[in-house]
Amino acid sequence: MKTAPIVAARIERSPEGLPFAAAFGDVYNPRAGALEQARHVFLAGNGLPERWRGRARFVIAETGFGLGNNFLAAWQAWREDPQRCERLDFLSVELHPPSAADLAAWPRDPAVAELAAQLHAQWPPLTHDLHRLSFEGGRVTLQLAFGAAAAWLPEWVARVDAFFLDGFAPHRNPAMWEARLFKSLARLAAPGATAATWSSARAVRDALRGAGFEVDKAAGSGGKRDISVARFVPEPSTRSARSTAPGRPHVRPVEPRALIVGGGLAGCGAAWALAEQGWHCTLFDRHAEPASEGSGNPGGLFH
């Protein structure tokens, strides 16, 4: 993947007092409020929290992290739901993320203020990376990809249950609404995945249909007449038919296990990542301490 320096968002205050992205000439949220939009468009538009109930894991992918209000709304809904899924994984991409100072400066709804403080405490450096943030003892994770969506989406490996499509308006930020990006979403979509966006533009709905989604309009809120909601309905294939055939239910292992050979940076990193996902890992190395050979070299650590 080609990388480039990440340029922080230049966030100004609109005449109505809303956060305003100078680079795109658009506001981050409507006058009705960021939390109201997140709950009505992205949570309700994807059938949440009902759809994650009883699940071991639920994965949300978002285009356009902005100030993180959709993530905070999803996290709050998860916290307050006694039937919540065991794990909530949230992936998001942002070309121009806010600086840590801007992230902290904008006032939040009291309902998510404490969560916003936790997000700010873990806010990563603005580098072209996939930054993994962990909350609730690892039960809620946020994977933040800083860079262009067109570069990042083909790199992701995931089975996404719900998509939050929240780029700036299509006529102001057309790169976030290209048909090829919707094809990338289709590649990531789990069976029955849903998508929601505040945009009801014909081009957006057509691009979703072209990627295998059934699209409908739904009532908007806060002065917005319509929003778009969608459900992934791919063309049937032999493989998908086999995987969902009666008599072949998905069996979740009680305790997934991994054997990892080599206790260097790669082996320890793999063990850590798997352990955070609930795996029991056994690490083999001929030395009694980790990173005793090449990975213990200061030059190797640097690279």
Side-chain angles (χ1 to χ4, degrees), residues 121-156:
Q122 290 197 44
W123 193 244
L126 304 190
T127 56
H128 197 297
D129 290 306
L130 183 64
H131 302 274
R132 189 173 191 276
L133 285 62
S134 181
F135 307 94
E136 306 287 351
R139 296 179 66 195
V140 174
T141 61
L142 169 62
Q143 300 202 52
L144 270 174
F146 289 162
W152 271 114
L153 264 60
E155 299 287 330
W156 284 357

Side-chain angles (χ1 to χ4, degrees), residues 149-231:
W152 271 114
L153 264 60
E155 299 287 330
W156 284 357
V157 179
R159 287 173 63 82
V160 176
D161 300 296
F163 294 97
F164 293 3
L165 308 180
D166 196 24
F168 291 111
H171 66 285
R172 297 186 183 274
N173 187 19
M176 288 291 284
W177 305 94
E178 292 180 348
R180 62 189 178 119
L181 289 187
F182 290 95
K183 298 290 187 182
S184 293
L185 301 183
R187 179 185 63 83
L188 297 167
T194 59
T197 174
W198 52 267
S199 175
S200 58
R202 176 66 179 271
V204 171
R205 291 184 281 119
D206 287 347
L208 279 167
R209 291 189 182 99
F213 288 84
E214 288 183 347
V215 186
D216 292 302
K217 285 185 178 182
S221 68
K224 183 75 163 64
R225 187 178 66 179
D226 297 318
I227 64 172
S228 298
V229 295
R231 183 174 181 272

Side-chain angles (χ1 to χ4, degrees), residues 37-53:
Q37 175 178 257
R39 288 169 171 166
H40 180 81
V41 178
F42 299 108
L43 294 181
N46 279 287
L48 300 176
E50 294 80 9
R51 286 183 56 228
W52 67 36
R53 290 176 178 164

Side-chain angles (χ1 to χ4, degrees), residues 4 42 60 74 84 87 115 121 137 150 158-159 183 194 202 209 223 228 234 241 247 250 272 276 283-284 301-302:
F42 299 108
I60 298 171
R84 59 181 175 255
R87 296 182 59 88
L115 303 183
R159 287 173 63 82
K183 298 290 187 182
T194 59
R202 176 66 179 271
R209 291 189 182 99
S228 298
H250 173 70
W272 177 275
E276 284 199 318
L283 188 67
F284 289 94
L301 291 171
F302 175 79

